[in-house]
PDB file of all heavy atoms in Angstrom:
ATOM      1  N   SER Y   1     241.694 117.189  70.314  1.00 95.00           N
ATOM      2  CA  SER Y   1     242.767 117.014  71.302  1.00 95.00           C
ATOM      3  C   SER Y   1     243.947 117.948  71.066  1.00 95.00           C
ATOM      4  O   SER Y   1     244.680 118.268  72.005  1.00 95.00           O
ATOM      5  CB  SER Y   1     243.255 115.561  71.300  1.00 95.00           C
ATOM      6  OG  SER Y   1     243.805 115.203  70.038  1.00 95.00           O
ATOM      7  N   ASP Y   2     244.137 118.428  69.825  1.00 92.00           N
ATOM      8  CA  ASP Y   2     245.271 119.315  69.573  1.00 92.00           C
ATOM      9  C   ASP Y   2     245.080 120.701  70.181  1.00 92.00           C
ATOM     10  O   ASP Y   2     246.011 121.511  70.213  1.00 92.00           O
ATOM     11  CB  ASP Y   2     245.595 119.419  68.075  1.00 92.00           C
ATOM     12  CG  ASP Y   2     244.429 119.949  67.247  1.00 92.00           C
ATOM     13  OD1 ASP Y   2     243.415 120.380  67.833  1.00 92.00           O
ATOM     14  OD2 ASP Y   2     244.541 119.935  66.005  1.00 92.00           O
ATOM     15  N   LYS Y   3     243.871 120.983  70.686  1.00 93.00           N
ATOM     16  CA  LYS Y   3     243.637 122.255  71.378  1.00 93.00           C
ATOM     17  C   LYS Y   3     243.948 122.172  72.877  1.00 93.00           C
ATOM     18  O   LYS Y   3     243.975 123.192  73.562  1.00 93.00           O
ATOM     19  CB  LYS Y   3     242.180 122.702  71.186  1.00 93.00           C
ATOM     20  CG  LYS Y   3     241.830 123.085  69.756  1.00 93.00           C
ATOM     21  CD  LYS Y   3     240.403 123.599  69.667  1.00 93.00           C
ATOM     22  CE  LYS Y   3     240.065 124.050  68.243  1.00 93.00           C
ATOM     23  NZ  LYS Y   3     238.675 124.550  68.147  1.00 93.00           N
ATOM     24  N   ILE Y   4     244.145 120.969  73.344  1.00 94.00           N
ATOM     25  CA  ILE Y   4     244.374 120.779  74.776  1.00 94.00           C
ATOM     26  C   ILE Y   4     245.808 121.142  75.131  1.00 94.00           C
ATOM     27  O   ILE Y   4     246.754 120.652  74.521  1.00 94.00           O
ATOM     28  CB  ILE Y   4     244.054 119.328  75.178  1.00 94.00           C
ATOM     29  CG1 ILE Y   4     242.555 119.072  74.959  1.00 94.00           C
ATOM     30  CG2 ILE Y   4     244.446 119.052  76.630  1.00 94.00           C
ATOM     31  CD1 ILE Y   4     242.117 117.644  75.169  1.00 94.00           C
ATOM     32  N   GLY Y   5     245.935 122.035  76.106  1.00 91.00           N
ATOM     33  CA  GLY Y   5     247.250 122.529  76.498  1.00 91.00           C
ATOM     34  C   GLY Y   5     247.570 123.881  75.908  1.00 91.00           C
ATOM     35  O   GLY Y   5     248.576 124.501  76.258  1.00 91.00           O
ATOM     36  N   LYS Y   6     246.713 124.378  74.989  1.00 82.00           N
ATOM     37  CA  LYS Y   6     246.912 125.706  74.410  1.00 82.00           C
ATOM     38  C   LYS Y   6     246.567 126.767  75.447  1.00 82.00           C
ATOM     39  O   LYS Y   6     245.477 126.779  76.000  1.00 82.00           O
ATOM     40  CB  LYS Y   6     246.028 125.899  73.172  1.00 82.00           C
ATOM     41  CG  LYS Y   6     246.560 125.247  71.918  1.00 82.00           C
ATOM     42  CD  LYS Y   6     245.756 125.697  70.702  1.00 82.00           C
ATOM     43  CE  LYS Y   6     246.357 125.154  69.413  1.00 82.00           C
ATOM     44  NZ  LYS Y   6     245.582 125.610  68.231  1.00 82.00           N
ATOM     45  N   ARG Y   7     247.494 127.650  75.707  1.00 75.00           N
ATOM     46  CA  ARG Y   7     247.280 128.702  76.701  1.00 75.00           C
ATOM     47  C   ARG Y   7     246.942 130.007  75.969  1.00 75.00           C
ATOM     48  O   ARG Y   7     247.824 130.676  75.434  1.00 75.00           O
ATOM     49  CB  ARG Y   7     248.514 128.857  77.580  1.00 75.00           C
ATOM     50  CG  ARG Y   7     248.873 127.584  78.344  1.00 75.00           C
ATOM     51  CD  ARG Y   7     250.144 127.761  79.168  1.00 75.00           C
ATOM     52  NE  ARG Y   7     249.917 128.664  80.285  1.00 75.00           N
ATOM     53  CZ  ARG Y   7     249.517 128.263  81.496  1.00 75.00           C
ATOM     54  NH1 ARG Y   7     249.277 126.980  81.729  1.00 75.00           N
ATOM     55  NH2 ARG Y   7     249.348 129.140  82.468  1.00 75.00           N
ATOM     56  N   ILE Y   8     245.667 130.311  75.949  1.00 84.00           N
ATOM     57  CA  ILE Y   8     245.161 131.525  75.312  1.00 84.00           C
ATOM     58  C   ILE Y   8     244.705 132.462  76.432  1.00 84.00           C
ATOM     59  O   ILE Y   8     244.095 132.018  77.408  1.00 84.00           O
ATOM     60  CB  ILE Y   8     243.999 131.174  74.358  1.00 84.00           C
ATOM     61  CG1 ILE Y   8     244.515 130.250  73.243  1.00 84.00           C
ATOM     62  CG2 ILE Y   8     243.373 132.417  73.755  1.00 84.00           C
ATOM     63  CD1 ILE Y   8     243.431 129.611  72.414  1.00 84.00           C
ATOM     64  N   PRO Y   9     245.002 133.754  76.334  1.00 81.00           N
ATOM     65  CA  PRO Y   9     244.769 134.664  77.467  1.00 81.00           C
ATOM     66  C   PRO Y   9     243.355 134.709  78.023  1.00 81.00           C
ATOM     67  O   PRO Y   9     243.162 134.837  79.230  1.00 81.00           O
ATOM     68  CB  PRO Y   9     245.174 136.036  76.904  1.00 81.00           C
ATOM     69  CG  PRO Y   9     246.117 135.729  75.792  1.00 81.00           C
ATOM     70  CD  PRO Y   9     245.658 134.440  75.215  1.00 81.00           C
ATOM     71  N   ASN Y  10     242.334 134.626  77.159  1.00 87.00           N
ATOM     72  CA  ASN Y  10     240.960 134.848  77.620  1.00 87.00           C
ATOM     73  C   ASN Y  10     240.327 133.573  78.172  1.00 87.00           C
ATOM     74  O   ASN Y  10     239.989 132.652  77.423  1.00 87.00           O
ATOM     75  CB  ASN Y  10     240.097 135.385  76.469  1.00 87.00           C
ATOM     76  CG  ASN Y  10     240.632 136.695  75.921  1.00 87.00           C
ATOM     77  OD1 ASN Y  10     241.019 137.573  76.671  1.00 87.00           O
ATOM     78  ND2 ASN Y  10     240.673 136.808  74.604  1.00 87.00           N
ATOM     79  N   LEU Y  11     240.172 133.521  79.490  1.00 90.00           N
ATOM     80  CA  LEU Y  11     239.488 132.392  80.118  1.00 90.00           C
ATOM     81  C   LEU Y  11     237.994 132.502  79.828  1.00 90.00           C
ATOM     82  O   LEU Y  11     237.388 133.555  80.029  1.00 90.00           O
ATOM     83  CB  LEU Y  11     239.724 132.398  81.628  1.00 90.00           C
ATOM     84  CG  LEU Y  11     239.021 131.281  82.419  1.00 90.00           C
ATOM     85  CD1 LEU Y  11     239.602 129.915  82.056  1.00 90.00           C
ATOM     86  CD2 LEU Y  11     239.127 131.544  83.919  1.00 90.00           C
ATOM     87  N   GLU Y  12     237.405 131.425  79.329  1.00 92.00           N
ATOM     88  CA  GLU Y  12     235.976 131.438  79.025  1.00 92.00           C
ATOM     89  C   GLU Y  12     235.180 130.775  80.141  1.00 92.00           C
ATOM     90  O   GLU Y  12     234.352 131.402  80.790  1.00 92.00           O
ATOM     91  CB  GLU Y  12     235.714 130.750  77.686  1.00 92.00           C
ATOM     92  CG  GLU Y  12     234.291 130.926  77.190  1.00 92.00           C
ATOM     93  CD  GLU Y  12     234.153 130.578  75.718  1.00 92.00           C
ATOM     94  OE1 GLU Y  12     234.910 129.725  75.209  1.00 92.00           O
ATOM     95  OE2 GLU Y  12     233.278 131.172  75.067  1.00 92.00           O
ATOM     96  N   LEU Y  13     235.430 129.482  80.386  1.00 95.00           N
ATOM     97  CA  LEU Y  13     234.741 128.768  81.455  1.00 95.00           C
ATOM     98  C   LEU Y  13     235.759 128.083  82.364  1.00 95.00           C
ATOM     99  O   LEU Y  13     236.564 127.284  81.896  1.00 95.00           O
ATOM    100  CB  LEU Y  13     233.795 127.715  80.869  1.00 95.00           C
ATOM    101  CG  LEU Y  13     232.628 128.209  80.005  1.00 95.00           C
ATOM    102  CD1 LEU Y  13     231.856 127.033  79.438  1.00 95.00           C
ATOM    103  CD2 LEU Y  13     231.709 129.133  80.801  1.00 95.00           C
ATOM    104  N   PRO Y  14     235.736 128.358  83.663  1.00 95.00           N
ATOM    105  CA  PRO Y  14     236.629 127.651  84.590  1.00 95.00           C
ATOM    106  C   PRO Y  14     236.172 126.201  84.733  1.00 95.00           C
ATOM    107  O   PRO Y  14     235.002 125.868  84.469  1.00 95.00           O
ATOM    108  CB  PRO Y  14     236.460 128.428  85.899  1.00 95.00           C
ATOM    109  CG  PRO Y  14     235.097 129.034  85.800  1.00 95.00           C
ATOM    110  CD  PRO Y  14     234.879 129.345  84.349  1.00 95.00           C
ATOM    111  N   TRP Y  15     237.080 125.348  85.162  1.00 97.00           N
ATOM    112  CA  TRP Y  15     236.759 123.922  85.287  1.00 97.00           C
ATOM    113  C   TRP Y  15     235.539 123.684  86.176  1.00 97.00           C
ATOM    114  O   TRP Y  15     234.785 122.731  85.963  1.00 97.00           O
ATOM    115  CB  TRP Y  15     237.952 123.149  85.826  1.00 97.00           C
ATOM    116  CG  TRP Y  15     239.047 122.937  84.835  1.00 97.00           C
ATOM    117  CD1 TRP Y  15     240.365 123.256  84.976  1.00 97.00           C
ATOM    118  CD2 TRP Y  15     238.939 122.333  83.538  1.00 97.00           C
ATOM    119  NE1 TRP Y  15     241.082 122.916  83.857  1.00 97.00           N
ATOM    120  CE2 TRP Y  15     240.228 122.338  82.958  1.00 97.00           C
ATOM    121  CE3 TRP Y  15     237.875 121.809  82.806  1.00 97.00           C
ATOM    122  CZ2 TRP Y  15     240.478 121.828  81.679  1.00 97.00           C
ATOM    123  CZ3 TRP Y  15     238.127 121.294  81.528  1.00 97.00           C
ATOM    124  CH2 TRP Y  15     239.416 121.313  80.989  1.00 97.00           C
ATOM    125  N   ALA Y  16     235.326 124.527  87.161  1.00 96.00           N
ATOM    126  CA  ALA Y  16     234.194 124.346  88.077  1.00 96.00           C
ATOM    127  C   ALA Y  16     232.850 124.412  87.352  1.00 96.00           C
ATOM    128  O   ALA Y  16     231.844 123.886  87.848  1.00 96.00           O
ATOM    129  CB  ALA Y  16     234.240 125.405  89.178  1.00 96.00           C
ATOM    130  N   LYS Y  17     232.823 125.034  86.178  1.00 96.00           N
ATOM    131  CA  LYS Y  17     231.588 125.166  85.405  1.00 96.00           C
ATOM    132  C   LYS Y  17     231.409 124.053  84.373  1.00 96.00           C
ATOM    133  O   LYS Y  17     230.358 123.944  83.744  1.00 96.00           O
ATOM    134  CB  LYS Y  17     231.564 126.515  84.677  1.00 96.00           C
ATOM    135  CG  LYS Y  17     231.518 127.725  85.594  1.00 96.00           C
ATOM    136  CD  LYS Y  17     230.172 127.842  86.276  1.00 96.00           C
ATOM    137  CE  LYS Y  17     230.063 129.121  87.092  1.00 96.00           C
ATOM    138  NZ  LYS Y  17     228.753 129.216  87.785  1.00 96.00           N
ATOM    139  N   VAL Y  18     232.446 123.235  84.158  1.00 97.00           N
ATOM    140  CA  VAL Y  18     232.419 122.219  83.104  1.00 97.00           C
ATOM    141  C   VAL Y  18     232.068 120.854  83.681  1.00 97.00           C
ATOM    142  O   VAL Y  18     232.681 120.408  84.653  1.00 97.00           O
ATOM    143  CB  VAL Y  18     233.775 122.146  82.379  1.00 97.00           C
ATOM    144  CG1 VAL Y  18     233.756 121.062  81.303  1.00 97.00           C
ATOM    145  CG2 VAL Y  18     234.129 123.509  81.770  1.00 97.00           C
ATOM    146  N   SER Y  19     231.085 120.192  83.081  1.00 98.00           N
ATOM    147  CA  SER Y  19     230.679 118.859  83.532  1.00 98.00           C
ATOM    148  C   SER Y  19     231.396 117.755  82.765  1.00 98.00           C
ATOM    149  O   SER Y  19     231.870 116.776  83.355  1.00 98.00           O
ATOM    150  CB  SER Y  19     229.160 118.689  83.345  1.00 98.00           C
ATOM    151  OG  SER Y  19     228.446 119.764  83.872  1.00 98.00           O
ATOM    152  N   VAL Y  20     231.435 117.908  81.429  1.00 98.00           N
ATOM    153  CA  VAL Y  20     231.985 116.867  80.550  1.00 98.00           C
ATOM    154  C   VAL Y  20     232.874 117.513  79.493  1.00 98.00           C
ATOM    155  O   VAL Y  20     232.532 118.562  78.948  1.00 98.00           O
ATOM    156  CB  VAL Y  20     230.853 116.076  79.842  1.00 98.00           C
ATOM    157  CG1 VAL Y  20     231.427 114.957  78.974  1.00 98.00           C
ATOM    158  CG2 VAL Y  20     229.854 115.524  80.852  1.00 98.00           C
ATOM    159  N   LEU Y  21     233.998 116.878  79.208  1.00 98.00           N
ATOM    160  CA  LEU Y  21     234.833 117.266  78.075  1.00 98.00           C
ATOM    161  C   LEU Y  21     234.808 116.122  77.071  1.00 98.00           C
ATOM    162  O   LEU Y  21     235.126 114.975  77.418  1.00 98.00           O
ATOM    163  CB  LEU Y  21     236.275 117.527  78.507  1.00 98.00           C
ATOM    164  CG  LEU Y  21     237.239 117.866  77.363  1.00 98.00           C
ATOM    165  CD1 LEU Y  21     237.012 119.293  76.886  1.00 98.00           C
ATOM    166  CD2 LEU Y  21     238.690 117.679  77.781  1.00 98.00           C
ATOM    167  N   VAL Y  22     234.411 116.414  75.836  1.00 98.00           N
ATOM    168  CA  VAL Y  22     234.412 115.399  74.773  1.00 98.00           C
ATOM    169  C   VAL Y  22     235.520 115.757  73.801  1.00 98.00           C
ATOM    170  O   VAL Y  22     235.539 116.841  73.220  1.00 98.00           O
ATOM    171  CB  VAL Y  22     233.057 115.350  74.038  1.00 98.00           C
ATOM    172  CG1 VAL Y  22     233.054 114.197  73.030  1.00 98.00           C
ATOM    173  CG2 VAL Y  22     231.908 115.192  75.024  1.00 98.00           C
ATOM    174  N   THR Y  23     236.463 114.839  73.630  1.00 97.00           N
ATOM    175  CA  THR Y  23     237.583 115.059  72.721  1.00 97.00           C
ATOM    176  C   THR Y  23     237.919 113.742  72.032  1.00 97.00           C
ATOM    177  O   THR Y  23     237.237 112.730  72.239  1.00 97.00           O
ATOM    178  CB  THR Y  23     238.802 115.619  73.493  1.00 97.00           C
ATOM    179  OG1 THR Y  23     239.812 115.992  72.556  1.00 97.00           O
ATOM    180  CG2 THR Y  23     239.361 114.609  74.483  1.00 97.00           C
ATOM    181  N   ASP Y  24     238.961 113.743  71.189  1.00 96.00           N
ATOM    182  CA  ASP Y  24     239.327 112.502  70.509  1.00 96.00           C
ATOM    183  C   ASP Y  24     240.353 111.728  71.331  1.00 96.00           C
ATOM    184  O   ASP Y  24     240.955 112.259  72.269  1.00 96.00           O
ATOM    185  CB  ASP Y  24     239.843 112.785  69.099  1.00 96.00           C
ATOM    186  CG  ASP Y  24     241.062 113.684  69.097  1.00 96.00           C
ATOM    187  OD1 ASP Y  24     242.160 113.195  69.459  1.00 96.00           O
ATOM    188  OD2 ASP Y  24     240.932 114.875  68.738  1.00 96.00           O
ATOM    189  N   ASP Y  25     240.535 110.457  70.969  1.00 95.00           N
ATOM    190  CA  ASP Y  25     241.360 109.563  71.797  1.00 95.00           C
ATOM    191  C   ASP Y  25     242.862 109.740  71.584  1.00 95.00           C
ATOM    192  O   ASP Y  25     243.660 108.917  72.059  1.00 95.00           O
ATOM    193  CB  ASP Y  25     240.968 108.098  71.574  1.00 95.00           C
ATOM    194  CG  ASP Y  25     241.019 107.674  70.116  1.00 95.00           C
ATOM    195  OD1 ASP Y  25     241.606 108.423  69.291  1.00 95.00           O
ATOM    196  OD2 ASP Y  25     240.475 106.610  69.785  1.00 95.00           O
ATOM    197  N   ARG Y  26     243.269 110.840  70.938  1.00 94.00           N
ATOM    198  CA  ARG Y  26     244.697 111.146  70.826  1.00 94.00           C
ATOM    199  C   ARG Y  26     245.162 112.063  71.960  1.00 94.00           C
ATOM    200  O   ARG Y  26     246.304 112.504  71.972  1.00 94.00           O
ATOM    201  CB  ARG Y  26     244.994 111.791  69.470  1.00 94.00           C
ATOM    202  CG  ARG Y  26     244.718 110.859  68.295  1.00 94.00           C
ATOM    203  CD  ARG Y  26     245.007 111.522  66.959  1.00 94.00           C
ATOM    204  NE  ARG Y  26     246.432 111.715  66.740  1.00 94.00           N
ATOM    205  CZ  ARG Y  26     246.955 112.218  65.624  1.00 94.00           C
ATOM    206  NH1 ARG Y  26     246.162 112.583  64.635  1.00 94.00           N
ATOM    207  NH2 ARG Y  26     248.258 112.359  65.496  1.00 94.00           N
ATOM    208  N   ILE Y  27     244.305 112.308  72.914  1.00 95.00           N
ATOM    209  CA  ILE Y  27     244.662 113.140  74.051  1.00 95.00           C
ATOM    210  C   ILE Y  27     245.824 112.511  74.830  1.00 95.00           C
ATOM    211  O   ILE Y  27     245.881 111.287  74.999  1.00 95.00           O
ATOM    212  CB  ILE Y  27     243.445 113.363  74.978  1.00 95.00           C
ATOM    213  CG1 ILE Y  27     243.800 114.296  76.140  1.00 95.00           C
ATOM    214  CG2 ILE Y  27     242.885 112.052  75.483  1.00 95.00           C
ATOM    215  CD1 ILE Y  27     242.617 114.660  77.018  1.00 95.00           C
ATOM    216  N   ASP Y  28     246.735 113.338  75.278  1.00 94.00           N
ATOM    217  CA  ASP Y  28     247.864 112.867  76.079  1.00 94.00           C
ATOM    218  C   ASP Y  28     247.360 112.329  77.424  1.00 94.00           C
ATOM    219  O   ASP Y  28     246.467 112.911  78.045  1.00 94.00           O
ATOM    220  CB  ASP Y  28     248.836 114.036  76.304  1.00 94.00           C
ATOM    221  CG  ASP Y  28     250.046 113.623  77.110  1.00 94.00           C
ATOM    222  OD1 ASP Y  28     250.958 113.014  76.541  1.00 94.00           O
ATOM    223  OD2 ASP Y  28     250.058 113.916  78.326  1.00 94.00           O
ATOM    224  N   GLU Y  29     247.951 111.226  77.874  1.00 94.00           N
ATOM    225  CA  GLU Y  29     247.506 110.579  79.118  1.00 94.00           C
ATOM    226  C   GLU Y  29     247.623 111.510  80.325  1.00 94.00           C
ATOM    227  O   GLU Y  29     246.752 111.531  81.195  1.00 94.00           O
ATOM    228  CB  GLU Y  29     248.308 109.294  79.362  1.00 94.00           C
ATOM    229  CG  GLU Y  29     247.907 108.125  78.484  1.00 94.00           C
ATOM    230  CD  GLU Y  29     246.506 107.618  78.779  1.00 94.00           C
ATOM    231  OE1 GLU Y  29     246.046 107.752  79.934  1.00 94.00           O
ATOM    232  OE2 GLU Y  29     245.860 107.103  77.853  1.00 94.00           O
ATOM    233  N   SER Y  30     248.707 112.279  80.388  1.00 95.00           N
ATOM    234  CA  SER Y  30     248.881 113.177  81.531  1.00 95.00           C
ATOM    235  C   SER Y  30     247.833 114.293  81.503  1.00 95.00           C
ATOM    236  O   SER Y  30     247.316 114.701  82.554  1.00 95.00           O
ATOM    237  CB  SER Y  30     250.293 113.773  81.537  1.00 95.00           C
ATOM    238  OG  SER Y  30     250.511 114.560  80.380  1.00 95.00           O
ATOM    239  N   ALA Y  31     247.493 114.777  80.311  1.00 96.00           N
ATOM    240  CA  ALA Y  31     246.456 115.802  80.184  1.00 96.00           C
ATOM    241  C   ALA Y  31     245.098 115.236  80.588  1.00 96.00           C
ATOM    242  O   ALA Y  31     244.308 115.900  81.273  1.00 96.00           O
ATOM    243  CB  ALA Y  31     246.400 116.327  78.757  1.00 96.00           C
ATOM    244  N   LEU Y  32     244.840 114.007  80.190  1.00 96.00           N
ATOM    245  CA  LEU Y  32     243.595 113.342  80.558  1.00 96.00           C
ATOM    246  C   LEU Y  32     243.450 113.258  82.073  1.00 96.00           C
ATOM    247  O   LEU Y  32     242.386 113.541  82.635  1.00 96.00           O
ATOM    248  CB  LEU Y  32     243.555 111.940  79.933  1.00 96.00           C
ATOM    249  CG  LEU Y  32     242.370 111.037  80.285  1.00 96.00           C
ATOM    250  CD1 LEU Y  32     241.058 111.690  79.896  1.00 96.00           C
ATOM    251  CD2 LEU Y  32     242.517 109.677  79.610  1.00 96.00           C
ATOM    252  N   LYS Y  33     244.549 112.903  82.736  1.00 96.00           N
ATOM    253  CA  LYS Y  33     244.521 112.789  84.197  1.00 96.00           C
ATOM    254  C   LYS Y  33     244.296 114.152  84.854  1.00 96.00           C
ATOM    255  O   LYS Y  33     243.512 114.286  85.801  1.00 96.00           O
ATOM    256  CB  LYS Y  33     245.814 112.165  84.718  1.00 96.00           C
ATOM    257  CG  LYS Y  33     245.817 111.952  86.228  1.00 96.00           C
ATOM    258  CD  LYS Y  33     247.096 111.303  86.700  1.00 96.00           C
ATOM    259  CE  LYS Y  33     247.012 110.979  88.196  1.00 96.00           C
ATOM    260  NZ  LYS Y  33     246.644 112.135  89.036  1.00 96.00           N
ATOM    261  N   GLN Y  34     244.978 115.187  84.348  1.00 96.00           N
ATOM    262  CA  GLN Y  34     244.826 116.521  84.933  1.00 96.00           C
ATOM    263  C   GLN Y  34     243.388 117.021  84.822  1.00 96.00           C
ATOM    264  O   GLN Y  34     242.861 117.627  85.765  1.00 96.00           O
ATOM    265  CB  GLN Y  34     245.768 117.507  84.244  1.00 96.00           C
ATOM    266  CG  GLN Y  34     247.234 117.350  84.636  1.00 96.00           C
ATOM    267  CD  GLN Y  34     248.084 118.439  84.020  1.00 96.00           C
ATOM    268  OE1 GLN Y  34     247.977 119.606  84.371  1.00 96.00           O
ATOM    269  NE2 GLN Y  34     248.946 118.051  83.080  1.00 96.00           N
ATOM    270  N   ILE Y  35     242.768 116.757  83.684  1.00 97.00           N
ATOM    271  CA  ILE Y  35     241.381 117.202  83.501  1.00 97.00           C
ATOM    272  C   ILE Y  35     240.440 116.407  84.399  1.00 97.00           C
ATOM    273  O   ILE Y  35     239.550 116.962  85.050  1.00 97.00           O
ATOM    274  CB  ILE Y  35     240.974 117.079  82.020  1.00 97.00           C
ATOM    275  CG1 ILE Y  35     241.818 118.031  81.164  1.00 97.00           C
ATOM    276  CG2 ILE Y  35     239.486 117.381  81.839  1.00 97.00           C
ATOM    277  CD1 ILE Y  35     241.676 117.809  79.674  1.00 97.00           C
ATOM    278  N   SER Y  36     240.655 115.092  84.462  1.00 97.00           N
ATOM    279  CA  SER Y  36     239.822 114.246  85.318  1.00 97.00           C
ATOM    280  C   SER Y  36     239.962 114.637  86.785  1.00 97.00           C
ATOM    281  O   SER Y  36     238.986 114.616  87.554  1.00 97.00           O
ATOM    282  CB  SER Y  36     240.201 112.770  85.134  1.00 97.00           C
ATOM    283  OG  SER Y  36     239.979 112.350  83.805  1.00 97.00           O
ATOM    284  N   ASP Y  37     241.168 115.031  87.174  1.00 96.00           N
ATOM    285  CA  ASP Y  37     241.409 115.453  88.554  1.00 96.00           C
ATOM    286  C   ASP Y  37     240.663 116.738  88.905  1.00 96.00           C
ATOM    287  O   ASP Y  37     240.488 117.068  90.086  1.00 96.00           O
ATOM    288  CB  ASP Y  37     242.909 115.645  88.807  1.00 96.00           C
ATOM    289  CG  ASP Y  37     243.670 114.327  88.885  1.00 96.00           C
ATOM    290  OD1 ASP Y  37     243.000 113.272  89.010  1.00 96.00           O
ATOM    291  OD2 ASP Y  37     244.913 114.341  88.811  1.00 96.00           O
ATOM    292  N   GLN Y  38     240.224 117.487  87.882  1.00 96.00           N
ATOM    293  CA  GLN Y  38     239.445 118.702  88.111  1.00 96.00           C
ATOM    294  C   GLN Y  38     237.967 118.382  88.356  1.00 96.00           C
ATOM    295  O   GLN Y  38     237.151 119.284  88.555  1.00 96.00           O
ATOM    296  CB  GLN Y  38     239.558 119.637  86.896  1.00 96.00           C
ATOM    297  CG  GLN Y  38     240.952 120.162  86.626  1.00 96.00           C
ATOM    298  CD  GLN Y  38     241.369 121.268  87.579  1.00 96.00           C
ATOM    299  OE1 GLN Y  38     240.584 121.741  88.392  1.00 96.00           O
ATOM    300  NE2 GLN Y  38     242.624 121.693  87.468  1.00 96.00           N
ATOM    301  N   GLY Y  39     237.634 117.078  88.344  1.00 96.00           N
ATOM    302  CA  GLY Y  39     236.251 116.670  88.550  1.00 96.00           C
ATOM    303  C   GLY Y  39     235.427 116.667  87.274  1.00 96.00           C
ATOM    304  O   GLY Y  39     234.192 116.630  87.322  1.00 96.00           O
ATOM    305  N   VAL Y  40     236.109 116.701  86.130  1.00 97.00           N
ATOM    306  CA  VAL Y  40     235.437 116.733  84.829  1.00 97.00           C
ATOM    307  C   VAL Y  40     235.431 115.328  84.225  1.00 97.00           C
ATOM    308  O   VAL Y  40     236.469 114.663  84.174  1.00 97.00           O
ATOM    309  CB  VAL Y  40     236.148 117.718  83.868  1.00 97.00           C
ATOM    310  CG1 VAL Y  40     235.519 117.666  82.482  1.00 97.00           C
ATOM    311  CG2 VAL Y  40     236.096 119.136  84.436  1.00 97.00           C
ATOM    312  N   ARG Y  41     234.277 114.880  83.779  1.00 97.00           N
ATOM    313  CA  ARG Y  41     234.180 113.604  83.072  1.00 97.00           C
ATOM    314  C   ARG Y  41     234.717 113.784  81.663  1.00 97.00           C
ATOM    315  O   ARG Y  41     234.364 114.753  80.976  1.00 97.00           O
ATOM    316  CB  ARG Y  41     232.729 113.148  83.024  1.00 97.00           C
ATOM    317  CG  ARG Y  41     232.497 111.876  82.206  1.00 97.00           C
ATOM    318  CD  ARG Y  41     231.004 111.608  82.071  1.00 97.00           C
ATOM    319  NE  ARG Y  41     230.740 110.485  81.194  1.00 97.00           N
ATOM    320  CZ  ARG Y  41     229.531 110.159  80.728  1.00 97.00           C
ATOM    321  NH1 ARG Y  41     228.472 110.881  81.101  1.00 97.00           N
ATOM    322  NH2 ARG Y  41     229.361 109.121  79.923  1.00 97.00           N
ATOM    323  N   VAL Y  42     235.577 112.877  81.206  1.00 97.00           N
ATOM    324  CA  VAL Y  42     236.146 112.966  79.864  1.00 97.00           C
ATOM    325  C   VAL Y  42     235.599 111.817  79.016  1.00 97.00           C
ATOM    326  O   VAL Y  42     235.691 110.652  79.398  1.00 97.00           O
ATOM    327  CB  VAL Y  42     237.688 112.919  79.887  1.00 97.00           C
ATOM    328  CG1 VAL Y  42     238.235 113.029  78.462  1.00 97.00           C
ATOM    329  CG2 VAL Y  42     238.241 114.042  80.765  1.00 97.00           C
ATOM    330  N   MET Y  43     235.035 112.157  77.853  1.00 97.00           N
ATOM    331  CA  MET Y  43     234.558 111.157  76.902  1.00 97.00           C
ATOM    332  C   MET Y  43     235.457 111.205  75.672  1.00 97.00           C
ATOM    333  O   MET Y  43     235.735 112.300  75.147  1.00 97.00           O
ATOM    334  CB  MET Y  43     233.109 111.438  76.496  1.00 97.00           C
ATOM    335  CG  MET Y  43     232.111 111.296  77.621  1.00 97.00           C
ATOM    336  SD  MET Y  43     230.407 111.676  77.089  1.00 97.00           S
ATOM    337  CE  MET Y  43     230.091 110.295  75.962  1.00 97.00           C
TER     338      MET Y  43
END
């Protein structure tokens, strides 16, 4: 979860290509919502 929100120049995979994001439960609630709003399932 500490990598979430890090803005690194090189985009690897856009959200449209991602099905599931698996992270730990320390993720910020607002970040969780933003990712879910992209159509990505979060575990």
Side-chain angles (χ1 to χ4, degrees):
S1 62
D2 59 8
K3 293 184 177 180
I4 296 174
K6 281 190 175 181
R7 300 178 70 90
I8 298 168
N10 301 317
L11 178 67
E12 190 164 29
L13 297 176
W15 285 126
K17 295 289 186 181
V18 179
S19 311
V20 182
L21 177 75
V22 185
T23 188
D24 59 74
D25 55 14
R26 296 179 71 177
I27 183 175
D28 181 79
E29 285 293 331
S30 63
L32 176 58
K33 183 179 186 307
Q34 286 185 68
I35 296 169
S36 298
D37 287 346
Q38 296 284 354
V40 175
R41 175 187 174 191
V42 181
M43 294 179 68

